[in-house]
Amino acid sequence: MAKMTRTWWGEVFLDVLAMSMDVGRLKRGRAYSGPNRLLEFSISKGVARATLRGNINHYFGVYEEPRYKVTVKLRQFTSTEWQGISEMISNNAACLSQLLMNEMPTAIEDALSDSGKSLLPRSRDELISKCSCPDWASPCKHVAGVYYKIASLLDRDPMLLFELRGLEYSMLREKLASSPLGQALIDEQAEEEGCLDLPSHRYTEPRGTPAAGIDVKTYWRGEQPLPSVDALSGSPPTPAVLAKKGGDLPAFWHLDRSFIGVMEDVCVRIVRENRISL
């Protein structure tokens, strides 16, 4: 079976779910995370709410397709706990600098463990859920589907963990930026950026009017022609440059293969086939 998540935080998130329910419900729950089952989904103030499409089952007297309402959340930290976490991060230069650059710190769980906290859920007690279905088990397969959906979102935006724990990332970042070390890091970054000799805009300066004797085609293409495709050899030095700028997990990509890896193969094949055709 293909992996549902691609990052370590997504895997840890689902590991707790796996400890909380039987294997059969867990496998069926995965199917409820897709668009065919998950009809509505939203996260507001750290609470995920969803509407899922159930099954018709004549054996149990279900003759019309049911709709089930699900709510899911993690145990949220109190304002006092968040104050302690903010102070801890403000004194940790590595975590602080990454968060100020809108990156999830790789060592944040180790840093939080010193205070007995964790952004990721570590026990079943931290998973709070409710479903309108008649299943006696909790969590049920519908709840599992919503957790799978959240795990896939965490792959793309790990900052969602802060909101699930009770504090939006933008508010946390504002607190961190106002700390003495945070302000020093921001000032240093601004100073470094100010030292760069950057152009005022991304466009090249106009070349002026064409010199006498230069036709329009030469003016726009340059006096020195570009090398022909035949002059090139080997594969492009850096294939799929634009794809790499966008990252390996674009929002539209839902396959288990690497998006950048696929685009690299496509770019190399296009160059090779066009060289052969010339």
Side-chain angles (χ1 to χ4, degrees), residues 36-171:
N36 291 332
R37 293 287 188 176
L38 193 61
L39 303 178
E40 296 177 358
F41 179 84
S42 64
I43 296 180
S44 177
K45 296 181 179 179
V47 180
R49 294 179 173 84
T51 301
L52 293 95
R53 180 167 63 87
N55 292 318
I56 295 175
N57 192 323
H58 294 171
Y59 182 81
F60 289 102
V62 181
Y63 299 99
E64 295 183 4
E65 190 175 77
R67 298 286 192 273
Y68 299 123
K69 300 291 185 179
V70 175
T71 58
V72 163
K73 66 178 181 180
L74 302 183
R75 187 190 75 80
Q76 298 188 348
F77 298 143
T78 66
S79 56
T80 302
E81 288 176 314
W82 270 119
Q83 181 63 31
I85 292 172
S86 300
E87 292 177 357
M88 182 278 299
I89 296 176
S90 297
N91 294 315
N92 187 311
C95 290
L96 179 60
S97 60
Q98 285 186 277
L99 283 171
L100 292 179
M101 292 188 294
N102 300 319
E103 298 176 0
M104 177 61 79
T106 53
I108 191 167
E109 288 292 89
D110 293 336
L112 288 175
S113 64
D114 295 336
S115 59
K117 299 290 188 300
S118 172
L119 278 180
L120 289 161
R122 297 293 179 178
S123 67
R124 179 175 180 172
D125 295 338
E126 295 187 280
L127 306 181
I128 304 169
S129 59
K130 183 172 65 174
C131 180
S132 62
C133 78
D135 194 344
W136 57 269
S138 179
C140 64
K141 60 186 177 183
H142 309 109
V143 168
V146 175
Y147 274 114
Y148 272 120
K149 175 65 176 180
I150 295 174
S152 68
L153 295 178
L154 289 176
D155 271 346
R156 296 175 170 83
D157 182 16
M159 302 305 181
L160 179 60
L161 277 171
F162 294 109
E163 182 178 354
L164 293 174
R165 285 298 196 177
L167 183 65
E168 291 187 8
Y169 168 65
S170 59
M171 298 180 63

